[in-house]
Amino acid sequence: MKTAAEYIASLRARKLELWVDGERIPDPVDHPKVRPAINAVAATYAVAHGPHAALASAHSELIDAPVNRFTHLFTSPDDLIKKVEIQRVLGRLTGTCFQRCVGMDGINALFIATWEASEEKHARFVKWLEGVQRRDEMLNGAMTDPKGDRSKRPPAQPDAYVRVVGRRDGGVVIRGAKVHQTGAANAHQILLMPGQALREGEEDFAIACAMPVDAEGVRMVLGRQPSDGRKGGPDAGNARFGGQECVVIFDDVFVPEERVFLDGDLGACATLVESFAGFHRASYGGCKPGNFDVLIGASDLLAREHGVRRASHVRDKLVEMAHLAETVHGVGLAASAKSTAHASGIWEVDPVLANVCKQNVTRLPYEIGRLAEDLAGGAISTLPSLADRTHPELAELLAPAFGSEARAKALRLVEYMTYGAGAVPFRIECMHGAGSPQAQRIVLERTLDWDAKVQRARVLAGLDDDEELPDIR
């Protein structure tokens, strides 16, 4: 398994085409808008060698060796539980998105989907995955298409979706783009998957495959984040870590046959999308509570700096923040503990609880953020730059406005997480990542046994006989 230093060094060997603010970047690793996100991914490598190694690593039956948790298959409920637990650890250690979860959840969903598709495609995928595990690679799980006019199907607007545009000996040619690509510029490979279930006549869009991030024709453009110009400076808020999203363009990229896992397999692609959604929605029960821990800690620190930590209303707000964090975490763990085995050997999360977990994540972080802003006070939006705090002409004059160094930096951290660059994983990703809120409600309506609920109500109301407890009168 790679160390954090080995991971960072491996990125320098790529010939990645990355554009930032209208310029192509020759060395993305050291760019101030890229490096914080690389550091966050590096944390996933570091924890596999430290005190959290039991959670951050696992024994792979594929290669009969220890592997990083983020390349591992979910072969038991314990794997799913440990996944959520290490995600919380990393969310707390970095205070942001550490970017490997889509790839991890994607390989498990594809394991199931290729198993259902054919023995040949499954064997091809497993062989590729063995290489990923041996090299301990970071994967960009690429699912979300631009989609354009949502009222139109992919064939009516093909440029809004990744699709196969050509076939030649030994592989396929794909074209299109994927958006909101978390950590793409920090990855070794792209694991490309369809972003929705597809219908007959849409086979060219039903493509799942893999390629190096620097494959010919792959181009990346870094997305903007609020206040991202502060990264690397005194007002960054999060001093070392950050998230990242890119648009990934596939400009007639040739994918060799050995890296094509699904091609026109409509049923298997539907399985892939559904399985991935469950895995990833449960994942939010890990990473987000870890982020919440950081914001709760910053809020508590500010309460202490302001001398109000013992005030009853302050204590009550901190308890409410912790209660909401544990609610999300508990449902993520429950979805994992109540998992069931698929015939392929992968354990799948409970679909109801996984979707309840993500539904909570579309709401509760906003209340946690509101309480953090309440406790912090107006200075999170009006404080001068921390560079002014140490300027020889201003430091003494500004001392009353800034207060202690701890207060000033905690204010910047709260600002970063609630509406700065850190608000992307803390707020917007919570709303739309792994599917927007209505997507979870659709699954819940489809999955819940409504008739069973009605039937039990009828029994208890005295309308029907009790067949479950017939001996009690």
Side-chain angles (χ1 to χ4, degrees):
M1 294 182 290
K2 283 186 173 71
T3 65
E6 288 168 340
Y7 159 69
I8 293 172
S10 72
L11 298 183
R12 298 186 188 279
R14 306 169 306 163
K15 298 179 181 179
L16 182 70
E17 181 177 342
L18 176 66
W19 293 75
V20 179
D21 299 339
E23 296 182 3
R24 183 170 178 177
I25 304 303
D27 185 9
V29 174
D30 296 315
H31 193 281
K33 287 188 178 180
V34 179
R35 185 54 182 261
I38 290 176
N39 287 344
V41 179
T44 69
Y45 288 91
V47 293
H49 300 277
H52 302 292
L55 291 178
S57 61
H59 187 85
S60 169
E61 295 178 3
L62 294 185
I63 64 172
D64 192 23
V67 297
N68 192 288
R69 176 72 59 188
F70 290 92
T71 68
H72 185 53
L73 294 172
F74 308 141
T75 57
S76 69
D78 188 58
D79 280 333
L80 288 165
I81 291 169
K82 286 180 176 176
K83 175 190 81 162
V84 172
E85 290 177 336
I86 193 60
Q87 285 170 324
R88 184 165 190 174
V89 169
L90 283 160
R92 176 181 59 81
L93 291 177
T94 64
T96 188
C97 174
F98 40 90
Q99 307 150 58
R100 292 187 78 181
C101 302
V102 179
M104 170 180 56
D105 293 333
I107 60 174
N108 281 274
L110 255 177
F111 192 95
I112 293 171
T114 56
W115 185 90
E116 292 187 0
S118 74
E119 187 175 334
E120 178 186 359
K121 290 175 180 177
H122 186 61
R124 186 186 301 164
F125 172 73
V126 169
K127 183 178 180 180
W128 171 82
L129 180 57
E130 288 172 352
V132 169
Q133 290 187 338
R134 288 194 177 96
R135 295 184 295 272
D136 197 4
E137 291 180 321
M138 152 75 170
L139 301 177
N140 161 220
M143 289 197 83
T144 307
D145 298 283
K147 294 191 286 288
D149 184 338
R150 270 63 168 175
S151 69
K152 296 179 180 179
R153 296 295 301 178
Q157 45 176 358
D159 289 344
Y161 293 84
V162 172
R163 71 277 187 202
V164 176
V165 295
R167 300 178 185 278
R168 60 178 195 251
D169 289 345
V172 300
V173 178
I174 62 170
R175 181 186 302 164
K178 294 288 187 178
V179 295
H180 318 316
Q181 290 308 292
T182 302
N186 309 327
H188 300 104
Q189 291 201 60
I190 299 169
L191 181 60
L192 186 142
M193 300 169 280
Q196 65 186 57
L198 297 158
R199 303 172 183 171
E200 187 175 349
E202 298 176 345
E203 286 79 3
D204 284 343
F205 301 89
I207 181 73
C209 59
M211 69 210 71
V213 293
D214 54 2
E216 185 177 356
V218 173
R219 315 174 82 177
M220 297 189 185
V221 183
L222 188 71
R224 294 300 306 266
Q225 297 175 331
S227 304
D228 58 8
R230 296 184 180 187
K231 290 185 176 183
D235 299 305
N238 189 325
R240 288 185 294 155
F241 303 106
Q244 176 199 100
E245 294 75 34
C246 295
V247 175
V248 181
I249 300 166
F250 302 92
D251 189 6
D252 289 359
V253 177
F254 176 73
V255 184
E257 186 178 62
E258 62 267 21
R259 290 172 168 265
V260 177
F261 311 128
L262 297 175
D263 183 7
D265 304 276
L266 299 180
C269 283
T271 295
L272 165 61
V273 172
E274 184 172 355
S275 295
F276 174 83
F279 289 137
H280 206 50
R281 289 168 188 172
S283 283
Y284 279 57
C287 58
K288 300 311 174 190
N291 290 169
F292 303 161
D293 289 337
V294 174
L295 190 57
I296 293 167
S299 300
D300 193 338
L301 174 57
L302 284 170
R304 298 177 192 207
E305 289 293 315
H306 292 156
V308 297
R309 180 60 175 83
R310 299 308 304 164
S312 61
H313 70 94
V314 171
R315 301 200 319 269
D316 187 64
K317 288 168 185 173
L318 289 169
V319 168
E320 178 63 8
M321 293 169 79
H323 154 243
L324 297 176
E326 300 307 328
T327 297
V328 172
H329 188 54
V331 182
L333 288 173
S336 304
K338 291 189 68 176
S339 56
T340 54
H342 184 268
S344 66
I346 299 298
W347 282 72
E348 296 186 280
V349 294
D350 181 278
V352 170
L353 291 173
N355 281 275
V356 169
C357 179
K358 179 53 177 54
Q359 184 74 185
N360 281 338
V361 170
T362 68
R363 301 176 181 183
L364 303 191
Y366 292 83
E367 178 63 7
I368 293 172
R370 185 189 71 80
L371 290 168
E373 293 170 9
D374 181 353
L375 291 168
I380 58 170
S381 61
T382 64
L383 198 70
S385 170
L386 268 62
D388 296 321
R389 180 179 175 274
T390 56
H391 193 281
E393 292 187 31
L394 298 172
E396 185 175 349
L397 297 171
L398 284 173
F402 276 105
S404 69
E405 180 183 19
R407 176 180 184 268
K409 290 188 174 180
L411 285 167
R412 277 289 181 256
L413 179 57
V414 172
E415 177 192 28
Y416 162 86
M417 296 188 74
T418 56
Y419 66 98
V424 176
F426 191 86
R427 294 170 64 97
I428 307 307
E429 187 180 284
C430 286
M431 180 66 74
H432 294 293
S436 300
Q438 198 61 27
Q440 293 103 60
R441 302 182 80 83
I442 290 169
V443 175
L444 289 172
E445 182 179 27
R446 185 180 69 216
T447 306
L448 289 167
D449 189 343
W450 301 99
D451 289 341
K453 298 177 188 298
V454 171
Q455 181 56 36
R456 195 61 197 166
R458 288 182 61 86
V459 168
L460 295 179
L463 295 169
D464 295 333
D465 292 337
D466 193 340
E467 295 180 0
E468 293 185 81
L469 298 171
D471 297 331
I472 301 177
R473 300 296 179 186

